[in-house]
Amino acid sequence: MKSASRRRAQRGLSKIPVLSAAALAAIFAAGLAALLVNIAERKQEAKVTTTRLVEVTQDTTDPAKWGVNWPKQYDAYKLTAQPTRTRFGGHGGSEALPQEKIDRDPWLKRMFLGYAFSIDYRDRRGHAYMLVDQENTQRQTKPQTGSCLHCHGSVIPLYRELGGGDVIKGFETTYKIPYKELNKKLHDMGHAQTVSCPDCHDAQTMKLIVTRPAFLIGIQKLAASQASTPFAPSIERWRATDKSRPYDPNADATRNEMRTFVCAQCHIEYYCSSAMPLTAPWGKGLNVDQIEMFWNETKMPDGGRFFDYKHAETGAPILKAQHPEFELWSQGVHARSGVACADCHMPYARDGATKVSDHWVRSPLLNISRACQPCHRMSEDEIKTRVDLIQTRNNELLQRGGVAITALMDAVLAAKQDGASDAQLAPALELQRKAQWRLDFIAAENSMGFHAPQEAARALAEAIDYARQGELAALRRGAAKVAEARN
């Protein structure tokens, strides 16, 4: 009896490992099946990132309508209204308008005498304020050209109407129209939006597009030049063709290049006034010397020498830099490494199963983990320290340049008081033009030299050198006039 019971118990015990193994296998199979189903669902979700609930076209300038179809991007886009600040840039307060640069750095105000920037020149704000800040600037107390809307509003439908369907022709008329008149027309048409979705995206395919005429014309001139363009291999490939048609970024550029070009169509140096259409000066190349050469060879419509304004104190014919982020970036290591603007200012982010480009356009310093660390395998503190060192050194050079340009202007005024004529002071005034161009090129550019640190330092060093040369030239002329009077 005991033997039979023992055998039955042993048989029962021997079944336990088998049952346990079967149970584990069933659990594993169920888990694996669930995982595979989840992966399949995620893949399908990733394939269908949007469902079009409303139709949009290139004339749909209200971003909220695009936001119905692409809510993730629109939610991020709205965050550009948030105040952001880094040590050397941005707007961090809650006041109606950001701080005046010309109050913080008075040498800027004096440098711009004779130009509207001496009236009002403020820190930048996010894209949400691009149009309203332009409408509210005190510079509007002086006559402004309609060309100024080129980069501050969603203007392509307006250009199309002005040109009878031809955007380029419409754009080429705007410099003749006062800003307030053209801005009113933009409002009346219902397109008074800051730069919006159709300015960078094709409404049907959502692919990136360049829409700004000045960029399209300027990049054609750059491609047709002999300037090196290591940041844009597509230009080199176009140059190897028969060039039967002009270079067209929308047809020739790679998607990675377009992730820079859609930003560069506005973040550039340009002429913007009422004498001729808004112009991107790239016919010689993109660095500070090549652009200076382009402007020096440009004639005003009356045949006279090109200048943006004449300095109110010295009379020097000044070149005014706007915001040459694209130009300075093109000279840096990031550009040569294939790093696009969007990689740093609109880095990819995960949202569920989808990967989206972050449309909260801002400084990489406010988003280091996604903007910098995918490439730079170091701590956030180390990255911040390195960037701060670059920007601090450039700022110190910039401030020294401000002291030098002020000394030059003082010397010119003193020489004039001693009786020196404009003709006698021409060498000093020419050096003011050269010095101020380089100083303003870095002051107006919004990275405090980070986009190309060595190139920025070179430009500032030359600015200081030319300013001191100009100061000495004026002092010598003044001393000569005093000696002549005594004799």
Side-chain angles (χ1 to χ4, degrees):
M1 292 289 293
K2 290 182 179 179
S3 177
S5 298
R6 188 179 296 113
R7 286 195 296 272
R8 286 195 296 271
Q10 289 174 344
R11 284 197 298 271
L13 290 172
S14 66
K15 291 179 179 179
I16 291 175
V18 176
L19 293 173
S20 298
L24 289 173
I27 293 171
F28 177 78
L32 181 61
L35 177 62
L36 292 173
V37 169
N38 182 263
I39 290 173
E41 290 175 348
R42 293 285 182 165
K43 284 184 175 181
Q44 188 61 31
E45 180 184 343
K47 286 180 182 178
V48 185
T49 57
T50 60
T51 299
R52 292 205 178 214
L53 301 176
V54 299
E55 284 302 314
V56 294
T57 72
Q58 296 307 126
D59 286 339
T60 307
T61 55
D62 183 354
K65 293 181 180 178
W66 291 65
V68 175
N69 295 331
W70 296 279
K72 296 174 182 179
Q73 289 83 351
Y74 180 58
D75 285 346
Y77 169 89
K78 290 187 292 184
L79 292 175
T80 63
Q82 296 294 315
T84 61
R85 188 167 188 84
T86 61
R87 181 179 176 191
F88 291 105
H91 165 60
S94 59
E95 63 270 23
L97 289 171
Q99 182 181 0
E100 288 274 16
K101 289 184 178 181
I102 53 175
D103 289 343
R104 187 171 59 246
D105 293 321
W107 57 268
L108 281 171
K109 182 180 181 71
R110 188 174 178 194
M111 197 169 77
F112 294 144
L113 288 175
Y115 196 68
F117 272 62
S118 65
I119 301 171
D120 191 5
Y121 183 33
R122 299 178 183 271
D123 288 327
R124 62 112 181 118
R125 291 206 285 184
H127 282 185
Y129 296 101
M130 290 171 68
L131 182 59
V132 67
D133 279 358
Q134 186 183 61
E135 292 171 338
N136 292 328
T137 177
Q138 291 301 305
R139 296 195 295 272
Q140 294 292 353
T141 60
K142 300 294 182 181
Q144 301 292 313
T145 172
S147 286
C148 297
L149 277 172
H150 182 270
C151 289
H152 286 262
S154 201
V155 294
I156 299 305
L158 173 61
Y159 288 173
R160 192 177 292 115
E161 178 169 311
L162 291 173
D166 188 319
V167 171
I168 299 292
K169 286 184 179 179
F171 154 74
E172 289 174 341
T173 69
T174 58
Y175 77 98
K176 303 175 185 177
I177 306 173
Y179 177 89
K180 291 182 179 179
E181 178 183 333
L182 197 65
N183 181 257
K184 181 179 183 303
K185 185 171 182 63
L186 188 71
H187 279 265
D188 291 344
M189 290 178 65
H191 296 302
Q193 303 286 344
T194 187
V195 169
S196 183
C197 312
D199 294 302
C200 301
H201 290 282
D202 181 277
Q204 296 305 309
T205 66
M206 287 305 291
K207 74 174 183 178
L208 295 174
I209 56 173
V210 172
T211 56
R212 290 302 183 269
F215 181 90
L216 292 168
I217 297 169
I219 202 77
Q220 288 177 2
K221 292 179 180 178
L222 176 64
S225 76
Q226 300 301 312
S228 176
T229 58
F231 59 89
S234 66
I235 290 179
E236 299 297 331
R237 288 193 292 271
W238 175 84
R239 287 171 175 170
T241 69
D242 61 7
K243 303 178 186 177
S244 57
R245 59 171 181 79
Y247 175 81
D248 179 1
N250 289 318
D252 299 318
T254 66
R255 184 176 184 279
N256 191 56
E257 290 169 352
M258 291 296 284
R259 296 178 75 242
T260 287
F261 289 169
V262 292
C263 304
Q265 62 183 325
C266 287
H267 288 267
I268 58 173
E269 152 64 1
Y270 51 81
Y271 167 80
C272 181
S273 192
S274 56
M276 60 187 188
L278 188 145
T279 303
W282 302 336
K284 302 289 184 180
L286 293 177
N287 72 32
V288 65
D289 308 288
Q290 292 165 331
I291 297 174
E292 180 185 45
M293 188 186 306
F294 178 91
W295 288 136
N296 284 341
E297 294 181 7
T298 298
K299 299 294 183 183
M300 300 300 276
D302 62 4
R305 187 184 190 190
F306 176 86
F307 59 88
D308 284 281
Y309 68 101
K310 286 198 173 182
H311 193 269
E313 288 185 338
T314 67
I318 298 298
L319 300 175
K320 171 69 185 80
Q322 300 304 327
H323 34 69
E325 284 86 43
F326 172 59
E327 290 88 347
L328 189 62
W329 165 88
S330 73
Q331 307 302 303
V333 66
H334 285 94
R336 284 162 169 73
S337 301
V339 178
C341 299
D343 288 323
C344 304
H345 295 277
M346 301 176 65
Y348 286 116
R350 282 283 176 188
D351 191 327
T354 59
K355 184 177 76 169
V356 298
S357 186
D358 187 351
H359 281 57
W360 184 5
V361 184
R362 51 186 163 150
S363 167
L365 290 173
L366 303 173
N367 195 16
I368 287 176
S369 64
R370 288 195 283 110
C372 308
Q373 288 182 320
C375 295
H376 298 283
R377 300 299 186 180
M378 58 188 74
S379 70
E380 288 200 13
D381 286 342
E382 175 66 15
I383 290 172
K384 287 179 181 178
T385 299
R386 293 190 184 193
V387 173
D388 188 70
L389 181 62
I390 290 169
Q391 293 185 315
T392 297
R393 287 174 173 172
N394 272 276
N395 184 60
E396 289 171 352
L397 285 172
L398 183 70
Q399 297 305 324
R400 290 186 182 191
V403 172
I405 201 73
T406 300
L408 185 158
M409 291 184 285
D410 287 342
V412 169
L413 291 181
K416 286 189 172 188
Q417 290 174 355
D418 290 332
S421 67
D422 287 344
Q424 291 170 324
L425 288 170
L429 299 183
E430 187 65 19
L431 286 162
Q432 181 184 350
R433 175 182 168 104
K434 292 176 73 67
Q436 194 164 316
W437 164 245
R438 286 160 176 78
L439 188 62
D440 191 24
F441 198 89
I442 305 304
E445 201 272 339
N446 280 301
S447 75
M448 191 52 73
F450 180 78
H451 283 147
Q454 291 179 315
E455 176 68 5
R458 180 185 75 87
L460 290 172
E462 289 186 357
I464 296 168
D465 180 41
Y466 286 134
R468 292 306 185 186
Q469 287 185 48
E471 178 189 5
L472 289 173
L475 289 172
R476 291 191 188 105
R477 189 65 261 172
K481 291 300 296 182
V482 171
E484 289 174 11
R486 287 175 178 172
N487 294 329

